[in-house]
Amino acid sequence: QDAIACAAKIFHELKSVLNKKKLSTNTGDEGGFAPDLKSNREAIEIIIESIEGSGYVPGEDVYIGLDIASSEFYREGLYVLDSLDKKFDSEAFIGYLSDLVKDYPILSIEDGLSEGDWESWELLTQILGETVQLVGDDLFVTNTELLQRGIDTNVANSILIKFNQIGTLTETIEAIQLAQKNKYNVIVSHRSGETEDITIADLSVATNAKQIKTGGFSRSDRMAKYNQLLRIEIELKGESTYAGKSAFKQFL
């Protein structure tokens, strides 16, 4: 309940900050704001401003997670950031991400490199894997064979779980169990095109995933999951423990 209240407060403060800056508060397909900003750093700094404006301390009460989705801008072996008018090879892009981690309270990076850039994923994990949650989404696609490859080659330290990505709940639970057995963090996730189905809220609690990713605090398809988590908390009162920072204990 407290975590949802915190996130909701920051979300609405962010809308106020964007309005004051005369920036768009239209929402994208995952319920989050999608303003036209000058740089990636500006986006992070606006979020930090919203955290502080909500009465929380960045890097103490609230941390930042990035979904880089780098497969989307990986072209012919280079990471092409049109907004910066720059192209990075894999090592340079890892350096770019490392600089962001040094400068901001970033605790989680999803798909920091392209799904096919496996050798560079090893280097990213060597450099940031002890201090940052490195999440494979496009990299693993909830597939136990790909996850096992990651485990065997020391690639990433966390997996995003999308049960309609792999196709069945049986395969989904197998991926979660394989990850947990090998000390990979598990984040049960929504998809971009969502409905009001609440299954992922139940799945995240039932499997002790400790983390859920379900979008911004707008529109019923997103809010349905948060409301179900609140109902589960009431039902399990005294029989469950909210993980909080302990979900990231290896990094903090």
Side-chain angles (χ1 to χ4, degrees):
Q1 181 179 342
D2 291 342
I4 289 177
C6 169
K9 190 173 182 181
I10 293 168
F11 182 81
H12 290 291
E13 177 66 17
L14 174 58
K15 184 174 184 179
S16 298
V17 171
L18 292 174
N19 279 326
K20 287 175 187 174
K21 295 178 183 290
K22 296 185 174 11
L23 292 166
S24 170
T25 54
N26 291 334
T27 55
D29 61 6
E30 296 183 2
F33 298 118
D36 186 11
L37 301 177
K38 296 174 185 175
S39 68
N40 298 322
R41 285 180 176 267
E42 184 183 14
I44 296 171
E45 285 162 9
I46 286 176
I47 292 171
I48 288 175
E49 182 179 344
S50 303
I51 293 169
E52 292 173 337
S54 301
Y56 299 103
V57 179
E60 185 175 320
D61 301 318
V62 180
Y63 295 82
I64 291 174
L66 303 178
D67 180 359
I68 306 296
S70 8
S71 295
E72 299 295 321
F73 53 89
Y74 185 64
R75 303 168 200 161
E76 298 178 352
L78 295 174
Y79 293 89
V80 182
L81 296 188
D82 291 331
S83 62
L84 298 179
D85 195 24
K86 286 186 178 181
K87 298 179 180 179
F88 299 85
D89 63 19
S90 298
E91 190 170 345
F93 193 64
I94 291 170
Y96 174 77
L97 294 178
S98 298
D99 287 342
L100 291 180
V101 169
K102 287 175 188 172
D103 294 341
Y104 303 107
I106 294 168
L107 188 55
S108 182
I109 297 177
E110 179 184 329
D111 282 344
L113 295 173
S114 173
E115 62 196 89
D117 199 4
W118 277 82
E119 287 187 11
S120 301
W121 263 100
E122 291 184 46
L123 179 60
L124 175 67
T125 307
Q126 289 170 17
I127 292 173
L128 291 179
E130 292 187 4
T131 55
V132 176
Q133 177 174 266
L134 299 175
V135 186
D137 173 17
D138 296 337
L139 182 71
F140 295 139
V141 291
T142 318
N143 183 298
T144 53
E145 291 184 11
L146 291 173
L147 176 57
Q148 188 62 59
R149 177 180 174 182
I151 292 164
D152 293 341
T153 56
N154 192 32
V155 160
N157 52 38
S158 309
I159 181 173
L160 203 73
I161 295 291
K162 297 173 175 173
F163 75 86
N164 68 340
Q165 187 177 55
I166 189 61
T168 68
L169 279 171
T170 298
E171 292 169 295
T172 299
I173 292 170
E174 286 172 356
I176 292 172
Q177 290 174 337
L178 179 62
Q180 292 172 331
K181 179 182 175 183
N182 289 277
K183 295 184 167 50
Y184 272 54
N185 280 2
V186 172
I187 305 97
V188 174
S189 176
H190 61 180
R191 304 303 299 268
S192 295
E194 268 291 342
T195 70
E196 292 183 15
D197 185 273
I198 57 175
T199 303
I200 63 168
D202 295 280
L203 184 66
S204 64
V205 176
T207 59
N208 195 28
K210 298 182 182 177
Q211 295 180 61
I212 188 170
K213 178 184 178 185
T214 187
F217 281 76
S218 61
R219 301 206 303 262
S220 60
D221 55 320
R222 308 293 156 181
M223 296 311 300
K225 282 75 164 174
Y226 293 115
N227 289 335
Q228 178 66 358
L229 288 172
L230 291 172
R231 287 190 288 267
I232 292 170
E233 182 179 39
I234 292 169
E235 186 176 341
L236 296 180
K237 195 71 173 177
E239 298 179 21
S240 62
T241 303
Y242 171 60
K245 286 186 180 180
S246 70
F248 306 93
K249 60 185 177 183
Q250 66 269 51
F251 310 118
L252 295 174

